[in-house]
Amino acid sequence: MTRTSDDGLRGYQVGGVRAELRALSVSDDREGMLEGTPHLHRRFRLRTVEKAMAATAHLYVHDLEKIRADVAGRAEEWLPREAAHARLTSWWTPEGVADPGHTELTVMWFQTAADDPFVRLASIVRPLDWAALARFVPWED
């Protein structure tokens, strides 16, 4: 379930934590591919996901094991071509942290153009464990 907060941000329930959507982007996952096959697209996607995971602390990639299995299985049907990224923040902080700050989590998934990214995000994050996935970000002076 999503709700709009007083400051106009969309709120999402992530496990037992309330988080607010700070950024959402949807892009063409096949951008940069001039030609190829569905299997090549899967390999390209996995490489892109692995680079993103190395560059972004606390990135959750929805269906990561399925993406890896698709590459190994050499499936020959095209994947949905939209890549979506969302950045969520919460005032929840881990136990024992006395510094002021917040926690954040970035979520990545793939979808078709017909899918509503806000609804899809809600269904992805609802069962997640915020405490295990999010990172603490201290306030900077």
Side-chain angles (χ1 to χ4, degrees):
M1 173 186 237
T2 62
R3 291 189 188 140
T4 305
S5 64
D6 293 337
D7 54 8
L9 298 173
R10 286 181 185 239
Y12 289 85
Q13 194 66 35
V14 185
V17 173
R18 190 83 184 142
E20 293 180 328
L21 179 63
R22 296 295 177 161
L24 175 69
S25 65
V26 179
S27 60
D28 185 350
D29 184 47
R30 295 188 203 157
E31 185 176 331
M33 285 185 68
L34 298 177
E35 59 182 54
T37 64
H39 179 69
L40 180 62
H41 178 223
R42 283 170 168 75
R43 288 180 45 209
F44 185 73
R45 175 175 284 178
L46 182 58
R47 189 173 322 125
T48 302
V49 165
E50 289 171 343
K51 283 182 184 177
M53 289 174 65
T56 306
H58 297 277
L59 170 65
Y60 173 77
V61 179
H62 182 66
D63 283 341
L64 178 58
E65 293 309 314
K66 184 176 184 288
I67 293 169
R68 288 182 174 140
D70 276 354
V71 170
R74 296 191 63 91
E76 288 301 322
E77 58 191 52
W78 287 100
L79 295 169
R81 69 185 294 158
E82 290 193 343
H85 292 82
R87 187 173 59 87
L88 300 159
T89 63
S90 175
W91 292 113
W92 176 90
T93 56
E95 258 185 65
V97 174
D99 297 332
H102 66 279
T103 48
E104 71 177 25
L105 175 66
T106 301
V107 180
M108 179 180 187
W109 72 95
F110 299 92
Q111 65 177 42
T112 65
D115 293 334
D116 180 337
F118 297 102
V119 172
R120 185 85 169 105
L121 175 61
S123 69
I124 290 169
V125 299
R126 191 173 301 115
L128 297 181
D129 181 359
W130 183 270
L133 296 171
R135 75 178 177 116
F136 177 72
V137 180
W139 291 116
E140 295 181 10
D141 290 335

